[in-house]
């Protein structure tokens, strides 16, 4: 392939709605027929009395079964495989650290398609082969390393497969090789910036133009803070290993919602309790069906991620619909004194305050049978005059805002910079000690 436009799949990128829908109908039929070749789906379809060839259009999706993380665990390692084992060229797993992971097996065509989708994301952000890209994401079973790597190489960027951690080396590599784009979790990008500031350095002096940030939930406020610190444009990147990994949905230069590549993923948003579709624009659980995967197609996979489809067209002209920033996972929701709280609600308030750093931890404890929430933050020394009186007032103000946000009293502990565990990958924001 010589044509760069073809290389990054622009045939799909600029499809009209009509073209997309007609492609989806054809691709869904193919995917369901392919899935039926696996032990798992063959048994499932048989049990339901479903004839795969009766699936003819996107509307028929409702007749197909959901697939859950538990199904993937039960069919681990290859119950959903549809091709000969010798035609599998790669295995990835989800980042869970306990129990049986979920594994996804890929054929050569799958890896190729993933690279194409990823390259399309990067090109959409405005990156070109002239960019130099440092991937600060974990390589190995986690998909953020090789996923971005193959996409960036496909685009032709010079790639530094730095992996996470070793912050001093990250900074040196960025400077030595004139890196223009990075990929990291937002929490690690924040850690690098704060480390530089604490050493009297300035993150904006790195000259980075773009950051691709994802793999964990973060707020618009956190994005703003990172953009101010580094002077780059930060693009939200969403993916999950079950759907390949990164490259599922990504922001365009409008930075307003993530275009989900609908040639490769059929999207539904459902009520997590009833599993019925929600009204357009309403928040629900994202459910996805792979449309271009060969080795291990997944049908109606319940991601557990909560989001909505943004209404209207994007000014960039792409017709792939946009997902709103993830609110978190349905299993991330905290219930504190009977009130539902998402960690992102806390983060939103914290990021508004310049006198505290970007790292935080939510601790839940019990005192006399009553839930207590403590939010631990770190002082940003450079933004603080050192007076105890000021600190007392700032802390009281933060406590008041948190109370307004969640509806109950939250205590705030202000710690020295660098006291909280630093994140290299997905940050752990909650410690629940109530049990
Ligand atoms: P893994 O399969 O281990 O890569 O984890 C995928 C999960 O990470 C997703 O299901 C989301 O919960 C989370 N995630 C990935 N990207 C984002 C993002 N941009 N915003 C919020 N959560 C994300
Ligand atoms: Zn757009």
């Amino acid at each position: 392939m010589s044509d760069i436009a073809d290389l990054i799949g622009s045939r799909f990128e600029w499809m009209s709605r009509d073209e997309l829908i007609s492609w989806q109908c054809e691709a869904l039929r193919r995917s369901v027929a392919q899935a039926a070749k696996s032990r798992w789906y063959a048994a499932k379809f048989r049990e339901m009395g479903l004839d795969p060839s009766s699936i003819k259009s996107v509307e028929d999706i409702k007749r197909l079964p959901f697939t859950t993380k538990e199904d993937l665990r039960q069919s681990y390692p290859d119950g959903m495989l549809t091709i000969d084992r010798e035609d599998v060229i790669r295995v990835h797993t989800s980042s869970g650290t306990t129990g049986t992971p979920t594994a996804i097996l890929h054929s050569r065509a799958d890896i190729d398609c993933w690279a194409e989708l990823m390259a399309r994301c990067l090109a959409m952000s405005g990156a070109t082969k002239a960019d130099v890209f440092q991937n600060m994401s974990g390589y190995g079973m986690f998909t953020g390393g090789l996923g971005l790597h193959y996409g960036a190489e496909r685009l032709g960027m010079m790639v530094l497969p730095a992996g996470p951690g070793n912050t001093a080396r990250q900074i040196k590599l960025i400077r030595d090789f004139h890196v223009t784009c990075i990929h990291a979790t937002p929490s690690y990008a924040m850690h690098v910036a704060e480390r530089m500031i604490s050493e009297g350095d300035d993150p904006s002096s790195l000259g980075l133009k773009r950051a691709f940030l994802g793999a964990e939930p973060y707020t618009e406020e956190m994005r703003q803070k990172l953009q101010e610190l580094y002077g780059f444009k930060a693009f939200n990147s969403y993916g999950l290993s079950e759907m390949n990994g990164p490259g599922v949905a990504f922001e365009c230069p409008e930075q307003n919602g993530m275009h989900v590549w609908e040639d490769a993923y059929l999207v539904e948003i459902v009520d997590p309790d009833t599993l019925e579709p929600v009204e357009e624009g309403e928040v629900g659980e994202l459910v996805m069906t792979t449309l271009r995967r060969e080795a291990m197609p997944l049908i109606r996979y319940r991601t557990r991620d909560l989001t909505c489809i943004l209404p209207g067209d994007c000014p960039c002209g792409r017709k792939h619909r946009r997902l709103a920033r993830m609110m978190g996972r349905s299993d991330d929701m905290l219930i504190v004194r009977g009130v539902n709280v998402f960690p992102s609600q806390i983060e939103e308030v914290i990021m508004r305050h310049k006198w505290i750093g970007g790292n935080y931890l939510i601790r839940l404890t019990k005192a006399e049978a009553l839930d207590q929430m403590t939010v631990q933050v770190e002082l940003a020394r450079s933004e603080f005059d050192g007076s105890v009186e000021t600190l007392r007032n700032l802390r009281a103000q933060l406590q008041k805002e948190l109370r307004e946000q969640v509806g109950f009293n939250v205590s705030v502990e202000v710690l020295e910079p660098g006291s909280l565990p630093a994140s290299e990958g997905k940050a752990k924001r909650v410690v629940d000690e109530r049990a």
Side-chain angles (χ1 to χ4, degrees):
M1 272 189 280
S2 58
D3 182 0
I4 185 74
D6 223 37
L7 220 55
I8 57 174
S10 79
R11 164 164 106 86
F12 293 110
E13 185 173 0
W14 298 100
M15 272 181 169
S16 68
R17 266 332 282 172
D18 285 349
E19 284 170 319
L20 267 172
I21 304 290
S22 95
W23 162 264
Q24 284 189 328
C25 289
E26 187 191 317
L28 179 65
R29 275 199 297 271
R30 256 200 318 263
S31 268
V32 172
Q34 183 72 9
K37 295 180 190 165
S38 73
R39 294 195 301 279
W40 177 271
Y41 282 113
K44 190 91 190 171
F45 294 164
R46 208 177 314 118
E47 197 181 290
M48 297 171 69
L50 182 113
D51 172 7
S53 69
S54 70
I55 301 296
K56 303 233 184 281
S57 76
V58 169
E59 274 74 56
D60 292 331
I61 189 93
K62 294 185 194 70
R63 297 174 37 226
L64 290 163
F66 287 96
T67 305
T68 62
K69 208 169 185 88
E70 192 46 39
D71 294 336
L72 280 168
R73 290 205 173 109
Q74 281 181 21
S75 59
Y76 179 89
D78 62 2
M80 293 190 190
L81 185 63
T82 66
I83 59 172
D84 285 345
R85 271 192 89 124
E86 64 186 45
D87 291 324
V88 173
I89 65 160
R90 177 101 63 82
V91 181
H92 279 286
T93 58
S94 61
S95 56
T97 46
T98 52
T100 305
T102 62
I104 300 294
L105 295 88
H106 300 270
S107 69
R108 184 170 301 284
D110 293 334
I111 294 294
D112 216 49
C113 174
W114 182 12
E116 170 210 306
L117 293 167
M118 197 65 248
R120 203 195 291 174
C121 294
L122 299 173
M124 174 166 66
S125 80
T128 68
K129 71 185 288 289
D131 279 289
V132 180
F133 171 65
Q134 186 156 317
N135 193 4
M136 303 180 169
S137 186
Y139 281 70
M141 299 310 278
F142 177 59
T143 55
L146 289 174
L148 261 287
H149 188 105
Y150 272 53
E153 279 192 357
R154 177 69 65 94
L155 189 58
M157 295 199 263
M158 178 165 113
V159 182
L160 287 83
N166 200 343
T167 303
R169 189 187 64 171
Q170 300 280 8
I171 296 164
K172 181 170 165 51
L173 287 172
I174 293 175
R175 288 218 160 98
D176 293 351
F177 290 92
H178 305 286
V179 169
T180 57
C181 306
I182 59 166
H183 173 230
T185 56
S187 56
Y188 186 58
M190 184 63 84
H191 173 70
V192 172
E194 294 191 333
R195 171 78 180 271
M196 291 183 77
I197 294 166
S198 76
E199 289 166 355
D201 203 344
D202 175 7
S204 73
S205 71
L206 293 174
L208 293 169
K209 287 194 277 198
R210 290 181 190 80
F212 314 120
L213 304 178
E216 65 184 6
Y218 62 115
T219 55
E220 184 57 38
E221 287 74 11
M222 176 116 167
R223 185 230 297 268
Q224 296 298 341
K225 191 161 183 156
L226 286 165
Q227 292 193 146
E228 277 164 32
L229 287 169
Y230 283 97
F232 56 39
K233 249 186 138 177
F235 296 84
N236 196 2
S237 161
Y238 170 79
L240 62 163
S241 52
E242 292 82 358
M243 294 291 127
N244 296 345
V248 173
F250 209 88
E251 281 181 330
C252 70
E254 299 291 327
Q255 292 178 298
N256 181 19
M258 299 175 284
H259 289 285
V260 52
W261 299 127
E262 292 184 86
D263 54 303
Y265 303 100
L266 189 66
V267 173
E268 297 170 85
I269 309 277
V270 304
D271 179 315
D273 297 322
T274 64
L275 299 182
E276 288 299 319
V278 300
E279 294 294 321
E280 210 182 288
E282 257 181 51
V283 172
E285 180 180 337
L286 176 65
V287 170
M288 298 186 118
T289 301
T290 61
L291 295 176
R292 292 179 61 191
R293 205 154 67 191
E294 177 184 47
M296 202 172 147
L298 292 188
I299 308 276
R300 304 189 89 188
Y301 182 68
R302 292 188 58 185
T303 66
R304 297 274 168 194
D305 291 318
L306 300 173
T307 184
C308 63
I309 293 189
L310 295 177
D313 280 340
C314 184
C316 78
R318 290 175 186 83
K319 301 299 179 202
H320 299 259
R321 289 175 301 170
R322 290 165 300 161
L323 298 180
R325 186 176 285 285
M326 300 291 142
M327 283 185 53
R329 300 172 57 76
S330 50
D331 25 18
D332 277 353
M333 193 180 74
L334 308 171
I335 303 181
V336 186
R337 301 191 188 178
V339 179
N340 298 347
V341 182
F342 278 98
S344 59
Q345 292 175 281
I346 306 292
E347 181 178 302
E348 205 180 293
V349 175
I350 291 174
M351 295 297 154
R352 293 203 289 255
H353 293 267
K354 274 198 171 340
W355 63 278
I356 38 188
N359 199 357
Y360 68 95
L361 194 63
I362 301 168
R363 295 197 100 94
L364 299 172
T365 50
K366 247 185 177 35
E368 289 163 20
L370 194 62
D371 292 338
Q372 308 288 332
M373 182 187 277
T374 305
V375 175
Q376 295 179 310
V377 296
E378 294 176 350
L379 196 61
R381 280 245 170 264
S382 54
E383 303 286 338
F384 171 61
D385 67 9
S387 121
V388 177
E389 184 60 23
T390 316
L391 186 60
R392 201 176 296 133
N393 291 339
L394 290 171
R395 184 167 159 268
Q397 176 63 26
L398 178 58
Q399 233 155 247
K400 177 168 164 280
E401 288 175 26
L402 286 171
R403 190 199 151 80
E404 282 165 6
Q405 177 82 326
V406 297
F408 53 83
N409 277 328
V410 176
S411 26
V412 169
E413 278 177 22
V414 184
L415 309 172
E416 281 297 318
S419 314
L420 294 171
S423 148
E424 289 184 356
K426 295 177 191 259
K428 184 167 164 46
R429 300 296 196 188
V430 180
V431 175
D432 194 341
E433 291 161 340
R434 289 179 294 181

